[in-house]
Amino acid sequence: MENLISLVNKIQRACTALGDYGEASALPTLWDSLPAIAVVGGQSSGKSSVLESVVGKDFLPRGSGIVTRRPLVLQLHKSDEGTREYAEFLHLPRKRFTDFAVVRKEIQDETDRETGRSKQISTVPIQLSIYSPNVVNLTLIDLPGLTKVAVEGQPDSIVHDIENMVRSYIEKPNCIILAISPANQDIATSDAIKISREVDPTGERTIGVLTKIDLMDKGTDAVDMLEGRAYRLKFPWIGVVNRSQADINKNVDMIAARRREREYFNSTPEYKHLANRMGSEHLAKMLSKHLETVIKSKIPGIQSLINKTINEIETELARLGKPVAADAGGKLYAIMEICRSFDQIFKDHLDGVRPGGDKIYNVFDNQLPAALKRLQFDKQLSMENIRKLITEADGYQPHLIAPEQGYRRLIESTLVTIRGPAEAAVDAVHSLLKDLVHKAVSETLDLKQYPGLRAEVGAAAIDSLDRMRDESKKATLQLVDMESGYLTVDFFRKLPQDVDKGGNPTHSIFDRYNDSYLRRIGTTILSYVNMVCATLRHSIPKSIVYCQVREAKRSLLDHFFTDLGKMETKRLSSLLNEDPAIMERRTGLAKRLELYRSAQAEIDAVAWSK
């Protein structure tokens, strides 16, 4: 089974490379769920020396004041015996460092690149991997040393800034705290213990390390601390003896330093009984074993987080839409697919799959009949107008039986008023269809991705509806004009020829123009007009549906598709221009999704093999 720490190291490197560490996002970060060991200590507590002893290499920057100004994520990978030791930085991929003095300089340079040559600090971590047969698999995070005062060149807030940075790491429940305290100082004043106790009051996550044991005043020792009587933690305290400054100046070999450390604990009477659990070698092995144990216990939670995050990323990627194709054919295909999606959503509204189409039926079932019913024929069929048109229609010779031309003129002048409700019905349906276009545009997710295409598609659809409205209005008004242009003869043939009501041709022309006669004409015409209205009430909706609704379902974007086929690549590209922030977000999410899926597969494999 692949070593759990190596697996976590790989995932952490990927998290850092993709910016998943500390990302200000609604998505939880995988980094935060992975157990790690944060090294905490005050300035000059021997923190750097402990790390170098664990690694067995002299590679950390040294100096006065704040030397560690950025978090250093240090991943140790145990390699096969006989292989060459080397280091790699995440910001310099595929570049191997075999000279650890150069590693030290690169840490300094990379810190300066982020913070400048000032004494400012940065929360952006440096990630360093070391491969050696002399290390154990381990991940350590070296944090800036806690300080109590700002020195020259530092802002007054530096004390709180460092403390807040350290706290942001160690307050996470998955963080193991390696608290470094010098043995030659009172434990009550230890910066590492003070801050560790605040975030881990029970000491469940804290491992205490005592440095500078060999520098304690004569007659004093650290036995009470190491045996847990002075300050108890869940895990036993570990003492280490670091290289002295003279050893560092003389470049004393780290292997030799480890040997001298073992000899010190074995030969010192006060610590001889504790020697088997003292020293940097024991510290490294204990940390590796403990870290692996913690990782095993956290696997179910990590799996759950990964699965949840994958779902969230996939949902957001679906919302952002697919990336733009590079070639003209791909762009054209993408635009056509988006247009088809829009067209289908528009049809769904008309067919009742989505709301809105029922309003068109309301126009036919309520608005049009009500408008026809509201028509006032009083002006056309007033006694004065009937007498005027009947008389004018006779010309110089009075009619013999019935004033046919007068009838026709009265009917035509009355039926023409139906054009108003007919046009209004066409316009009402046109307005509703436009509303449905706007709804379909807003509901087509891919159109949100491309503002240029969204505007073009919306405008093309409205242009088509305008043409369909004009055709529909022409056809619908023709129905009204047809009724005016040809009268139904059977209707008049069935009218009774009552002599008392002016039907006798022997009456004088003056008798035939009396009020009773004219009223009869008006009643007859009104009956005919009402019959025509009843017919148009059914034929006008048929015309509108055929010319507007049915045509919109069939060919709403036909003209746009024709224009689309003539567009050059540059024009197609402009239609698929999207917000650069969305493109960047999609790319980042796609990479992150790849990371999480890879982590899911590897952690699942580890979980199943346990």
Side-chain angles (χ1 to χ4, degrees), residues 20-305:
D20 195 51
Y21 167 77
E23 179 197 343
S25 163
L27 297 174
T29 59
L30 180 55
W31 174 284
D32 289 342
S33 71
L34 299 174
I37 301 173
V39 185
V40 181
Q43 288 186 31
S44 303
S45 62
K47 186 163 58 68
S48 295
S49 294
V50 170
L51 287 173
E52 290 183 331
S53 294
V54 168
V55 176
K57 289 291 178 183
D58 189 356
F59 68 98
L60 291 174
R62 293 181 180 274
S64 60
I66 299 177
V67 177
T68 303
R69 291 184 285 117
R70 290 176 60 182
L72 175 67
V73 180
L74 178 61
Q75 295 183 336
L76 306 181
H77 305 265
K78 185 173 180 59
S79 56
D80 295 335
E81 289 294 333
T83 57
R84 191 175 186 184
E85 297 174 308
Y86 67 92
E88 285 183 347
F89 287 94
L90 186 66
H91 63 273
L92 295 173
R94 295 181 296 279
K95 182 176 181 179
R96 293 187 175 185
F97 292 78
T98 55
D99 185 345
F100 283 81
V102 179
V103 171
R104 180 191 306 114
K105 185 176 186 306
E106 180 57 32
I107 293 174
Q108 292 172 327
D109 292 346
E110 178 61 13
T111 299
D112 290 342
R113 291 185 197 111
E114 180 67 26
T115 64
R117 292 188 176 274
S118 65
K119 295 183 179 180
Q120 299 288 341
I121 63 170
S122 170
T123 59
V124 180
I126 299 173
Q127 184 140 337
L128 173 64
S129 296
I130 295 178
Y131 299 81
S132 169
N134 302 316
V135 299
V136 293
N137 290 307
L138 194 58
T139 298
L140 298 164
I141 304 173
D142 185 23
L143 297 169
L146 296 163
T147 185
K148 292 182 174 61
V149 293
V151 299
E152 186 178 353
Q154 294 175 340
D156 294 337
S157 63
I158 192 74
V159 175
H160 297 294
D161 292 343
I162 293 176
E163 183 175 327
N164 290 337
M165 182 195 299
V166 171
R167 196 181 299 275
S168 70
Y169 279 87
I170 65 175
E171 67 186 0
K172 295 181 176 68
N174 289 326
C175 179
I176 301 165
I177 305 168
L178 189 63
I180 311 294
S181 299
N184 58 353
Q185 294 180 9
D186 188 347
I187 195 66
T189 64
S190 169
D191 296 313
I193 292 300
K194 177 178 178 294
I195 196 169
S196 300
R197 187 163 47 195
E198 291 175 6
V199 299
D200 180 32
T202 62
E204 295 286 320
R205 299 187 288 113
T206 303
I207 296 174
V209 176
L210 278 183
T211 62
K212 304 185 180 182
I213 292 178
D214 56 327
L215 301 180
M216 296 182 70
D217 293 338
K218 289 184 178 181
T220 62
D221 60 59
V223 173
D224 284 348
M225 281 296 301
L226 295 175
E227 293 184 345
R229 289 191 295 272
Y231 187 85
R232 180 172 294 278
L233 294 171
K234 178 181 177 181
F235 304 98
W237 282 79
I238 298 174
V240 296
V241 175
N242 299 323
R243 291 180 302 166
S244 66
Q245 188 60 48
D247 291 338
I248 294 171
N249 294 338
K250 294 177 183 178
N251 293 320
V252 171
D253 179 72
M254 196 67 70
I255 303 301
R258 284 182 178 179
R259 185 173 60 254
R260 286 168 54 180
E261 182 184 42
R262 287 195 301 270
E263 291 172 354
Y264 175 82
F265 284 110
N266 285 321
S267 62
T268 303
E270 292 85 356
Y271 307 121
K272 192 172 183 178
H273 66 292
L274 301 172
N276 65 325
R277 61 179 182 87
M278 295 291 116
S280 55
E281 285 184 285
H282 171 75
L283 174 64
K285 291 176 182 177
M286 188 276 291
L287 289 176
S288 180
K289 184 177 180 180
H290 180 63
L291 181 58
E292 187 156 344
T293 301
V294 172
I295 291 172
K296 284 182 181 178
S297 70
K298 300 293 183 181
I299 281 180
I302 295 172
Q303 287 175 308
S304 176
L305 173 63

Side-chain angles (χ1 to χ4, degrees), residues 304-318:
S304 176
L305 173 63
I306 288 175
N307 294 336
K308 178 176 179 289
T309 307
I310 285 175
N311 291 335
E312 291 176 347
I313 293 175
E314 288 176 337
T315 299
E316 186 169 355
L317 279 173

Side-chain angles (χ1 to χ4, degrees), residues 504-515:
N504 191 333
T506 62
H507 287 184
S508 71
I509 186 172
F510 301 105
D511 291 336
R512 290 174 182 176
Y513 293 157
N514 62 37
D515 288 351

Side-chain angles (χ1 to χ4, degrees), residues 350-561:
L350 289 176
D351 294 337
V353 178
R354 297 171 185 252
D358 55 306
K359 294 181 180 179
I360 294 176
Y361 175 73
N362 183 60
V363 172
F364 302 147
D365 196 51
N366 294 307
Q367 294 181 30
L368 177 61
L372 292 173
K373 192 174 182 179
R374 286 195 300 269
L375 286 176
Q376 299 293 328
F377 301 122
D378 295 346
K379 181 178 179 181
Q380 287 80 11
L381 299 180
S382 66
M383 297 296 290
E384 293 78 9
N385 196 50
I386 294 174
R387 179 178 287 108
K388 177 176 178 293
L389 290 182
I390 291 294
T391 303
E392 289 176 352
D394 281 346
Y396 70 91
Q397 184 175 344
H399 62 271
L400 299 177
I401 299 176
E404 181 178 331
Q405 291 300 322
Y407 267 98
R408 291 184 182 279
R409 291 182 184 180
L410 281 169
I411 291 172
E412 288 173 4
S413 65
T414 304
L415 288 180
V416 76
T417 61
I418 301 177
R419 291 171 66 96
E423 283 189 283
V426 171
D427 290 336
V429 171
H430 177 67
S431 178
L432 291 174
L433 290 174
K434 286 202 301 183
D435 288 343
L436 294 185
V437 163
H438 294 316
K439 284 185 178 180
V441 166
S442 66
E443 292 169 9
T444 305
L445 295 179
D446 288 336
L447 285 179
K448 293 181 179 180
Q449 184 178 344
Y450 307 111
L453 181 59
R454 180 172 65 240
E456 289 280 348
V457 169
I462 298 301
D463 286 345
S464 292
L465 291 181
D466 288 345
R467 285 191 293 269
M468 294 169 191
R469 175 199 57 194
D470 295 341
E471 290 298 318
S472 178
K473 192 168 289 187
K474 186 186 301 182
T476 302
L477 293 180
Q478 280 180 341
L479 291 176
V480 179
D481 295 342
M482 288 177 192
E483 295 291 350
S484 304
Y486 183 80
L487 307 183
T488 306
V489 180
D490 289 344
F491 177 85
F492 296 99
R493 285 176 178 170
K494 293 175 182 178
L495 293 176
Q497 297 294 314
D498 188 342
V499 295
D500 295 333
K501 295 181 180 180
N504 191 333
T506 62
H507 287 184
S508 71
I509 186 172
F510 301 105
D511 291 336
R512 290 174 182 176
Y513 293 157
N514 62 37
D515 288 351
S516 176
Y517 179 57
L518 295 177
R519 275 195 296 273
R520 180 172 182 256
I521 292 174
T523 301
T524 301
I525 291 173
L526 183 60
S527 297
Y528 182 79
V529 169
N530 285 336
M531 181 191 73
V532 171
C533 283
T535 301
L536 290 176
R537 176 181 172 179
H538 299 292
S539 58
I540 287 174
K542 291 180 180 181
S543 174
I544 291 174
V545 168
Y546 183 83
C547 295
Q548 288 175 267
V549 180
R550 184 171 174 272
E551 191 65 16
K553 286 179 65 176
R554 189 184 69 84
S555 60
L556 183 64
L557 294 179
D558 279 6
H559 284 80
F560 179 68
F561 289 151

